[in-house]
Amino acid sequence: MKEKNLILAFAVLFLAAGAVTLVDAQTKPAYSHSAQKAFIPADLGKVYLGMPLRDFAKQIDITKAESDHRFSYLELNIPFAKGSITGLRVRVHGLTAEQLDAMHTEETVKKTGESGDEYEATVKRPRAAAIPAEGVVYSMYIEFQDGFDLKSWAEKTYGKGEVRAANDEYHFYDQQWAKRSGDGLGWLIRAFYLGKGKSLQLLGRIPGTEWDPEA
């Protein structure tokens, strides 16, 4: 009788563990480019928010990016120029300090200061082959050519958003949208086009990140 009870107990535990795994698989967000492509400039290719950094690096070359991981996230400033896009930064969530240290190397480069003088600086570079599976891209910061009509493009893409008041000197955007893509991801989208430079922020409300809706 004791042996039967022991076998029954193990069977119950096995079924319970399987149920938890099934629930996790069903509730884990499945982000995708096909669900998000309407919100992302086509010149960036098949990238999306919630994309593993490993996969992102197969779409966009990050080997010459400058890395900053002093904070709770990894930020990559990526040399990127295609169409009207002149620059790209992304933020990555989910990597530990040990993982970040292990996936980077240092390089000494020459830079030009605001006065035009050249100087040497040490920068961190990501090693694509060493990217852990846990890293996830959760925001993109896109820069455009000065002549690009970002306002018209954004309103055609996202509709009319929340426009900052003309007398608001402390605004964080010129126009802002709250959206949700077909994969269930909440977005905060901000466009800057009235001042110096034109840029677009695509911010994913992914759990655990700075844009987590529960934070």
Side-chain angles (χ1 to χ4, degrees):
M1 182 64 69
K2 289 183 179 180
E3 290 181 356
K4 289 184 178 180
N5 289 339
L6 187 59
I7 293 172
L8 180 62
F10 275 120
V12 170
L13 288 173
F14 178 79
L15 290 173
V20 170
T21 302
L22 179 60
V23 169
D24 287 345
Q26 291 175 339
T27 58
K28 185 178 180 180
Y31 305 122
S32 69
H33 175 260
S34 60
Q36 299 181 16
K37 63 181 181 180
F39 294 164
I40 301 172
D43 285 329
L44 289 178
K46 295 183 177 181
V47 298
Y48 57 92
L49 299 185
M51 185 178 197
L53 181 59
R54 274 183 177 178
D55 296 339
F56 182 93
K58 296 174 184 177
Q59 297 290 327
I60 293 180
D61 183 8
I62 66 170
T63 56
K64 294 299 181 182
E66 290 191 19
S67 292
D68 185 351
H69 54 88
R70 295 171 295 171
F71 307 103
S72 60
Y73 52 80
L74 165 65
E75 183 169 278
L76 298 176
N77 191 352
I78 305 167
F80 185 91
K82 186 177 180 181
S84 298
I85 299 176
T86 59
L88 175 65
R89 285 186 299 121
V90 301
R91 288 185 180 177
V92 179
H93 167 74
L95 300 175
T96 66
E98 292 76 16
Q99 288 175 318
L100 288 166
D101 286 339
M103 64 170 276
H104 282 91
T105 186
E106 291 188 346
E107 182 180 343
T108 300
V109 299
K110 288 186 177 181
K111 293 192 172 188
T112 303
E114 294 182 2
S115 63
D117 296 334
E118 281 195 348
Y119 65 96
E120 288 190 345
T122 300
V123 299
K124 291 183 181 295
R125 303 282 199 208
R127 295 185 296 121
I131 298 174
E134 293 83 358
V136 172
V137 175
Y138 69 91
S139 62
M140 302 183 199
Y141 303 80
I142 308 160
E143 297 178 0
F144 296 88
Q145 296 173 351
D146 288 340
F148 180 62
D149 189 350
L150 178 57
K151 179 177 184 293
S152 296
W153 180 90
E155 290 182 350
K156 181 180 179 180
T157 303
Y158 309 119
K160 192 71 173 181
E162 176 188 350
V163 180
R164 79 171 180 94
N167 61 350
D168 182 3
E169 298 179 1
Y170 303 100
H171 70 285
F172 294 101
Y173 53 84
D174 294 319
Q175 196 165 174
Q176 175 176 276
W177 300 261
K179 296 287 185 178
R180 186 171 296 277
S181 48
D183 50 12
L185 177 62
W187 294 59
L188 184 61
I189 301 170
R190 291 172 173 169
F192 301 78
Y193 46 74
L194 293 178
K196 183 179 179 181
K198 298 176 186 292
S199 62
L200 183 70
Q201 296 182 354
L202 305 179
L203 313 171
R205 295 189 175 280
I206 294 176
T209 70
E210 63 193 285
W211 301 107
D212 187 340
E214 303 298 326

